Amino acid sequence: MRLVTRTLDVLKAVSAAERGISLGELSTLLGVPPASMHRLLAVLEQESYLSRVPTTRRYHPGPALWKAAVDDGYRSLLATPHPMVARVAAWTGQTVFLTELVGSDAVCTSLVEGKRRPRLFARVGQRMPLHASTSGRVLLAYQDPAFARQLLAARPLTAFTAATPTSSQGVLARLPAVRSRGYDHCFGELDPGVGTIAAPIRTSTGRACASITIAATVCTTDGVRDWEGLRDQVLTAAAELSTDLGAIV
């Protein structure tokens, strides 16, 4: 019974940590010896209840935990990785991932690495910052404006790099352009030296339930070399994924 209680305490603590939490922080917070905490975290990560970001070594809710979030009525529409994600990764040689809106969080639910593997904040189970990621801003752009403001106001707008937008008004001002062109793009706003482009995935009702993102190492001061090619790929992929969910595109 003690192990069950400890496991639940860990899951609660990780779920409550907006930017993830380290092994040491969990050990201190819950009064569990580091060695015991390490063993427990290893099992939870192996079973996909937790996800650890290699670059920060911080733990976040994993896909199994998100799928179990029945209190929010959450059911992943893309729980099984769509073959289009792997195809885009193969065609472009870049990393491709899906992000879904789970309650008030944008969560990376699927990721396929390409031949080029930039160091990314994104990881399966990772909460993506709505203000600093194209994957999150695309989802914001298609929400009711009042709800979008509420989502931004509910969390700190952390500066991940010098290019990160940290003003909620500034982020909101960008959303009409995202809707107009049907995608969002940025260079180095979340991951230094990485450019991303994301497009919305829609359901039969027209709701933007998810986004697909291509992440590429920046090759020039202006961005990736074949920017238009990546844009066309992400728009094509978003259209196919939307069609599979019943949307008319």
Side-chain angles (χ1 to χ4, degrees):
M1 184 62 70
R2 183 179 181 185
L3 178 59
V4 173
T5 301
R6 179 176 291 178
T7 301
L8 292 174
D9 287 342
V10 168
L11 294 176
K12 290 176 184 177
V14 174
S15 297
E18 182 69 26
R19 296 195 62 196
I21 189 168
S22 69
L23 185 155
E25 289 169 341
L26 282 168
S27 179
T28 300
L29 177 66
L30 302 178
V32 177
S36 298
M37 181 60 71
H38 180 270
R39 289 192 294 271
L40 178 55
L41 292 174
V43 173
L44 290 172
E45 184 178 10
Q46 180 180 341
E47 296 299 322
S48 297
Y49 282 92
L50 295 182
S51 178
R52 186 173 73 101
V53 179
T55 54
T56 65
R57 297 185 178 181
R58 299 179 75 79
Y59 290 87
H60 298 262
L65 185 56
W66 286 113
K67 290 173 188 176
V70 294
D71 288 344
D72 290 330
Y74 172 61
R75 293 293 185 275
S76 174
L77 297 173
L78 300 163
T80 301
H82 195 282
M84 174 56 82
V85 180
R87 289 204 296 269
V88 175
W91 289 338
T92 63
Q94 309 293 351
T95 295
V96 182
F97 60 92
L98 299 181
T99 304
E100 296 188 57
L101 192 62
V102 183
S104 61
D105 291 304
V107 182
C108 175
T109 55
S110 179
L111 183 149
V112 176
E113 292 185 325
K115 295 179 181 178
R116 305 176 185 88
R117 300 182 179 182
R119 294 170 66 90
L120 295 179
F121 181 88
R123 181 176 170 85
V124 173
Q126 172 74 62
R127 300 181 202 181
M128 301 301 295
L130 291 169
H131 68 293
S133 65
T134 54
S135 59
R137 284 199 300 267
V138 160
L139 292 173
L140 266 186
Y142 291 88
Q143 305 304 314
D144 176 81
F147 184 51
R149 283 193 294 272
Q150 177 184 332
L151 291 178
L152 287 174
R155 66 205 69 217
L157 304 189
T158 303
F160 295 92
T161 72
T164 302
T166 55
S167 160
S168 60
Q169 290 305 315
V171 173
L172 291 169
R174 295 170 61 167
L175 301 186
V178 174
R179 290 193 299 272
S180 176
R181 62 177 175 251
Y183 64 90
D184 191 21
H185 61 85
C186 76
F187 298 106
E189 293 183 3
L190 179 59
D191 300 291
V194 175
T196 62
I197 181 166
I201 299 168
R202 300 172 178 276
T203 66
S204 59
T205 64
R207 180 176 66 91
C209 65
S211 62
I212 181 169
T213 304
I214 299 176
T217 301
V218 174
C219 300
T220 70
T221 55
D222 296 324
V224 295
R225 296 188 188 280
D226 187 19
W227 181 251
E228 291 187 355
L230 294 185
R231 178 200 61 197
D232 293 344
Q233 291 281 2
V234 81
L235 289 173
T236 298
E240 179 169 324
L241 285 159
S242 297
T243 299
D244 281 2
L245 293 178
I248 299 176
V249 297

